[in-house]
Short mmCIF file of all heavy atoms in Angstrom, two decimals:
data_model
loop_
_atom_site.label_atom_id
_atom_site.label_comp_id
_atom_site.label_asym_id
_atom_site.label_seq_id
_atom_site.Cartn_x
_atom_site.Cartn_y
_atom_site.Cartn_z
N GLN C 31 40.93 -35.60 -94.40
CA GLN C 31 41.34 -35.63 -95.81
C GLN C 31 42.76 -36.16 -95.92
O GLN C 31 43.11 -36.83 -96.88
CB GLN C 31 41.30 -34.20 -96.37
CG GLN C 31 39.97 -33.51 -96.17
CD GLN C 31 39.22 -33.33 -97.46
OE1 GLN C 31 39.69 -32.65 -98.35
NE2 GLN C 31 38.06 -33.93 -97.57
N ASP C 32 43.57 -35.83 -94.92
CA ASP C 32 44.98 -36.23 -94.91
C ASP C 32 45.11 -37.65 -94.34
O ASP C 32 45.22 -37.84 -93.14
CB ASP C 32 45.78 -35.22 -94.07
CG ASP C 32 47.27 -35.55 -94.08
OD1 ASP C 32 47.67 -36.55 -94.69
OD2 ASP C 32 48.03 -34.79 -93.44
N THR C 33 45.08 -38.63 -95.24
CA THR C 33 45.07 -40.03 -94.78
C THR C 33 46.44 -40.51 -94.33
O THR C 33 46.60 -41.65 -93.90
CB THR C 33 44.55 -40.95 -95.90
OG1 THR C 33 45.35 -40.71 -97.07
CG2 THR C 33 43.08 -40.68 -96.22
N SER C 34 47.46 -39.63 -94.43
CA SER C 34 48.81 -40.04 -94.03
C SER C 34 49.06 -39.79 -92.53
O SER C 34 50.09 -40.16 -92.01
CB SER C 34 49.84 -39.26 -94.85
OG SER C 34 49.77 -37.89 -94.50
N ILE C 35 48.10 -39.16 -91.84
CA ILE C 35 48.31 -38.83 -90.41
C ILE C 35 48.45 -40.09 -89.57
O ILE C 35 47.61 -40.99 -89.64
CB ILE C 35 47.13 -38.00 -89.85
CG1 ILE C 35 47.01 -36.66 -90.57
CG2 ILE C 35 47.29 -37.76 -88.35
CD1 ILE C 35 45.81 -35.84 -90.13
N THR C 36 49.54 -40.17 -88.80
CA THR C 36 49.59 -41.17 -87.72
C THR C 36 50.03 -40.43 -86.46
O THR C 36 50.91 -39.58 -86.51
CB THR C 36 50.61 -42.31 -88.01
OG1 THR C 36 51.87 -41.72 -88.30
CG2 THR C 36 50.17 -43.19 -89.15
N LEU C 37 49.39 -40.75 -85.36
CA LEU C 37 49.69 -40.05 -84.12
C LEU C 37 50.47 -40.96 -83.17
O LEU C 37 50.33 -42.18 -83.21
CB LEU C 37 48.40 -39.60 -83.43
CG LEU C 37 47.49 -38.63 -84.18
CD1 LEU C 37 46.36 -38.18 -83.26
CD2 LEU C 37 48.24 -37.39 -84.67
N SER C 38 51.26 -40.34 -82.29
CA SER C 38 51.93 -41.10 -81.22
C SER C 38 50.93 -41.25 -80.07
O SER C 38 49.91 -40.57 -80.03
CB SER C 38 53.16 -40.34 -80.73
OG SER C 38 52.75 -39.14 -80.11
N ARG C 39 51.26 -42.14 -79.13
CA ARG C 39 50.36 -42.34 -77.98
C ARG C 39 50.19 -41.04 -77.21
O ARG C 39 49.09 -40.69 -76.78
CB ARG C 39 50.95 -43.43 -77.08
CG ARG C 39 50.03 -43.74 -75.92
CD ARG C 39 50.59 -44.77 -74.99
NE ARG C 39 49.96 -44.59 -73.68
CZ ARG C 39 50.41 -45.12 -72.58
NH1 ARG C 39 51.49 -45.88 -72.59
NH2 ARG C 39 49.79 -44.91 -71.43
N GLN C 40 51.29 -40.30 -77.04
CA GLN C 40 51.24 -39.03 -76.31
C GLN C 40 50.30 -38.04 -77.00
O GLN C 40 49.54 -37.34 -76.34
CB GLN C 40 52.67 -38.45 -76.22
CG GLN C 40 52.78 -37.13 -75.48
CD GLN C 40 52.84 -37.29 -73.98
OE1 GLN C 40 52.92 -38.41 -73.47
NE2 GLN C 40 52.81 -36.19 -73.26
N GLU C 41 50.34 -38.03 -78.34
CA GLU C 41 49.46 -37.11 -79.08
C GLU C 41 48.00 -37.49 -78.91
O GLU C 41 47.14 -36.62 -78.74
CB GLU C 41 49.84 -37.09 -80.56
CG GLU C 41 51.12 -36.31 -80.85
CD GLU C 41 51.54 -36.41 -82.30
OE1 GLU C 41 51.71 -37.55 -82.78
OE2 GLU C 41 51.68 -35.37 -82.95
N VAL C 42 47.73 -38.79 -78.96
CA VAL C 42 46.34 -39.25 -78.79
C VAL C 42 45.87 -38.89 -77.38
O VAL C 42 44.79 -38.34 -77.18
CB VAL C 42 46.23 -40.78 -79.02
CG1 VAL C 42 44.83 -41.28 -78.68
CG2 VAL C 42 46.57 -41.12 -80.46
N ARG C 43 46.72 -39.17 -76.40
CA ARG C 43 46.40 -38.87 -75.01
C ARG C 43 46.07 -37.39 -74.85
O ARG C 43 45.05 -37.02 -74.28
CB ARG C 43 47.62 -39.26 -74.14
CG ARG C 43 47.46 -38.95 -72.67
CD ARG C 43 48.80 -39.14 -71.95
NE ARG C 43 48.81 -38.34 -70.74
CZ ARG C 43 48.89 -38.84 -69.51
NH1 ARG C 43 48.98 -40.12 -69.34
NH2 ARG C 43 48.89 -38.05 -68.47
N ASN C 44 46.95 -36.54 -75.40
CA ASN C 44 46.73 -35.10 -75.28
C ASN C 44 45.47 -34.64 -75.99
O ASN C 44 44.76 -33.77 -75.51
CB ASN C 44 47.94 -34.33 -75.82
CG ASN C 44 49.08 -34.33 -74.82
OD1 ASN C 44 48.88 -34.09 -73.64
ND2 ASN C 44 50.28 -34.64 -75.26
N LEU C 45 45.21 -35.25 -77.14
CA LEU C 45 44.02 -34.89 -77.91
C LEU C 45 42.75 -35.15 -77.10
O LEU C 45 41.85 -34.33 -77.04
CB LEU C 45 44.01 -35.71 -79.21
CG LEU C 45 42.88 -35.50 -80.20
CD1 LEU C 45 42.82 -34.05 -80.65
CD2 LEU C 45 43.07 -36.40 -81.40
N PHE C 46 42.71 -36.32 -76.43
CA PHE C 46 41.51 -36.68 -75.67
C PHE C 46 41.49 -36.04 -74.28
O PHE C 46 40.51 -36.12 -73.56
CB PHE C 46 41.35 -38.21 -75.60
CG PHE C 46 40.81 -38.76 -76.88
CD1 PHE C 46 41.66 -39.07 -77.93
CD2 PHE C 46 39.44 -38.93 -77.07
CE1 PHE C 46 41.16 -39.55 -79.13
CE2 PHE C 46 38.94 -39.40 -78.27
CZ PHE C 46 39.80 -39.71 -79.30
N MET C 47 42.62 -35.42 -73.89
CA MET C 47 42.66 -34.70 -72.62
C MET C 47 42.52 -33.19 -72.86
O MET C 47 42.86 -32.38 -72.02
CB MET C 47 43.95 -35.00 -71.86
CG MET C 47 44.08 -36.47 -71.45
SD MET C 47 42.72 -37.07 -70.42
CE MET C 47 43.38 -36.72 -68.80
#
Side-chain angles (χ1 to χ4, degrees):
Chain C
Q31 305 250 298
D32 182 359
T33 54
S34 66
I35 297 176
T36 54
L37 299 186
S38 66
R39 183 182 157 195
Q40 180 82 6
E41 285 175 304
V42 173
R43 178 190 156 117
N44 282 315
L45 181 58
F46 282 86
M47 296 302 269

